Amino acid sequence: MALNSPQLVASVLKKILLTVLVLFANPAFSLSVSGIYNAQVVVEDQSASQVLKAKKLGLSQVLVKVTGQTQSLNSALIRKALNDVESYVQQFSFTTQLNAGQPKAAIELAFDPLKVNQLVSEAGLPIWGTERAAVLVWLVEDVQGGRQIINSDSHPVAAQIMSQANERGIPMLWPLLDIEDQLAIDAGALWGLFKEPIKEASKRYQADGVLVGRIFQDTQGLWQAQWDFWLDDIEQQWSSQSADLAALTAPLQDRLASSLVAKFALATSVKNLDEAQLESVILRVDRVINFEDYVELKKILQALSGIQQVQLYSANGATLEFKLFAQSSLAKIKSIVDLKQRLKLVDNSEQEQFLAQPGSSNDLIWHYQWR
């Protein structure tokens, strides 16, 4: 294969990216998902009917990414909005994309994030932010009694997993299968679902969720898949079968998305509430050394879904305390904060409930370090 082969270049870049992710992984590893409010749709021509159809399909794609769920399109309010799609489009342009190796005309669309979020909130659906928990995929195939671990998107099942994950904005990590992985785990341990070796081998990737897929072809020629998904201490199992190997992932992404949305997506109110009506928490951050750190930290906090207001509560040297007023569940917001790569959780059992300052009322305190 020539050095400038696109396949080789893509493979090398993928391995470099995964290596970087491993080297700099943090507990509760997350990735910032870009393009959630953008879509690209293939069209037959540039006629008004084709453009309108593409805009509706593009908004549908964006709504699935924002909510994480295809079922969100069943909402009556969402269906009504699709008939008024023009009010959500910020801009669009014509382009060309490769489809099965052939150039096809397409439309690139950008939708208004504020209006889309307002629509989702009015429909009573959760909003899944751009910082999302990553899922590590261990995929093993049994072929004529021999088992192999798959981490290449040239495999039809891996390709479908990635394609469907992209549609929902779910970050997926694949093992490097380097010498460290080979020493830590083998296909037999994955096939037998030996939890301790799997969990130990997964630690280096620091993903929030671990998906183990086992695929094989039965005596009738049908492809079978067994899926195990671990998120926190909760394990989910399901299976799928198909004559088409690439169709084995049909129920996969909705199930994954449902679990991730339940933990990380926030239900937000479209109306502002008085401070007295909101839950609040003190977020303490150590090692905020300069003004630039303060500006970036406050920007991160203000961008949190489910937070109506952020107030600087106290400052003591390099330690700052912010009071966050929440419209959503504090437990879910805490899960989102834990994903922020520049905030390292301080393991302090005394942070549960205690006085933030002498003479103040009891406030829940979350304690982090800036990095």
Side-chain angles (χ1 to χ4, degrees):
M1 183 181 292
L3 185 61
N4 61 352
S5 163
Q7 293 86 354
L8 180 58
V9 172
S11 176
V12 171
L13 289 175
K14 177 182 177 183
K15 290 186 179 294
I16 291 174
L17 172 61
L18 286 173
T19 302
V20 170
L21 294 179
V22 171
L23 289 175
F24 295 96
N26 301 304
F29 184 76
S30 68
L31 291 175
S32 183
V33 180
S34 61
I36 287 179
Y37 299 93
N38 297 335
Q40 188 177 86
V41 180
V42 173
V43 292
E44 295 177 4
D45 52 53
Q46 297 186 10
S47 64
S49 61
Q50 282 288 301
V51 171
L52 180 60
K53 181 179 178 181
K55 288 177 179 177
K56 290 182 178 181
L57 181 56
L59 181 56
S60 297
Q61 293 174 2
V62 164
L63 289 166
V64 169
K65 286 187 285 186
V66 170
T67 63
Q69 293 288 290
T70 55
Q71 294 92 325
S72 63
L73 302 180
N74 296 330
S75 162
L77 196 60
I78 297 294
R79 292 198 301 269
K80 182 180 178 181
L82 290 173
N83 290 324
D84 185 31
V85 66
E86 296 290 355
S87 63
Y88 296 92
V89 178
Q90 276 189 331
Q91 61 183 29
F92 71 93
S93 59
F94 292 97
T95 185
T96 303
Q97 74 172 36
L98 288 178
N99 191 340
Q102 299 296 319
K104 298 286 185 179
I107 295 181
E108 289 184 344
L109 296 146
F111 294 90
D112 188 323
L114 293 178
K115 288 187 177 180
V116 170
N117 285 353
Q118 184 177 18
L119 169 63
V120 171
S121 295
E122 289 174 346
L125 297 167
I127 295 175
W128 199 7
T130 58
E131 193 114 357
R132 301 188 173 186
V135 175
L136 173 66
V137 184
W138 294 100
L139 185 63
V140 58
E141 181 180 10
D142 184 293
V143 182
Q144 297 178 347
R147 293 164 185 161
Q148 60 179 353
I149 304 173
I150 298 162
N151 73 338
S152 170
D153 56 10
S154 63
H155 191 282
V157 175
Q160 280 297 103
I161 290 174
M162 292 304 299
S163 175
Q164 292 181 9
N166 289 337
E167 290 175 3
R168 289 163 179 78
I170 302 177
M172 310 292 274
L173 300 177
W174 294 79
L176 296 174
L177 301 187
D178 57 7
I179 187 64
E180 185 173 342
D181 281 344
Q182 293 172 38
L183 291 173
I185 196 77
D186 59 26
L190 289 167
W191 194 266
L193 278 184
F194 298 139
K195 293 184 180 179
E196 289 310 313
I198 295 173
K199 289 182 178 180
E200 193 63 31
S202 301
K203 281 182 180 179
R204 68 184 295 211
Y205 297 97
Q206 300 296 326
D208 264 272
V210 176
L211 175 69
V212 180
R214 298 169 294 161
I215 56 178
F216 66 96
Q217 195 170 27
D218 64 20
T219 56
Q220 305 300 316
L222 282 177
W223 286 100
Q224 306 281 346
Q226 301 290 330
W227 305 102
D228 284 73
F229 180 53
W230 303 330
L231 182 65
D232 296 330
D233 295 324
I234 299 174
E235 179 180 359
Q236 300 176 53
Q237 298 180 324
W238 63 91
S239 60
S240 56
Q241 67 176 29
S242 174
D244 180 8
L245 183 60
L248 285 177
T249 62
L252 177 62
Q253 298 296 344
D254 276 336
R255 288 178 178 262
L256 290 180
S258 294
S259 298
L260 294 168
V261 165
K263 179 175 181 180
F264 296 107
L266 300 173
T268 58
S269 173
V270 295
K271 62 178 181 180
N272 289 331
L273 303 176
D274 295 333
E275 289 181 7
Q277 299 174 277
L278 298 171
E279 288 190 271
S280 65
V281 62
I282 299 297
L283 187 134
R284 175 181 296 159
V285 185
D286 301 330
R287 301 181 183 177
V288 185
I289 298 172
N290 53 50
F291 182 73
E292 288 74 17
D293 290 337
Y294 163 75
V295 171
E296 184 176 354
L297 172 58
K298 189 169 184 182
K299 183 179 179 180
I300 288 173
L301 298 179
Q302 289 174 329
L304 289 172
S305 297
I307 295 296
Q308 178 168 305
Q309 189 175 2
V310 177
Q311 293 179 353
L312 181 61
Y313 190 68
S314 70
N316 183 11
T319 296
L320 302 181
E321 290 184 343
F322 293 88
K323 192 160 190 175
L324 311 182
F325 294 91
Q327 295 172 306
S328 299
S329 160
L330 284 178
K332 285 192 175 184
I333 292 174
K334 177 68 162 53
S335 298
I336 300 298
V337 175
D338 287 346
L339 291 175
K340 300 300 181 181
Q341 297 183 26
R342 297 218 62 181
L343 290 170
K344 178 183 179 183
L345 181 65
V346 174
D347 185 12
N348 182 357
S349 59
E350 296 181 358
Q351 71 175 301
E352 296 297 327
Q353 287 277 356
F354 62 100
L355 293 177
Q357 289 183 338
S360 67
S361 60
N362 284 334
D363 279 300
L364 177 65
I365 293 183
W366 299 340
H367 194 182
Y368 294 84
Q369 287 180 353
W370 183 251
R371 56 184 174 186

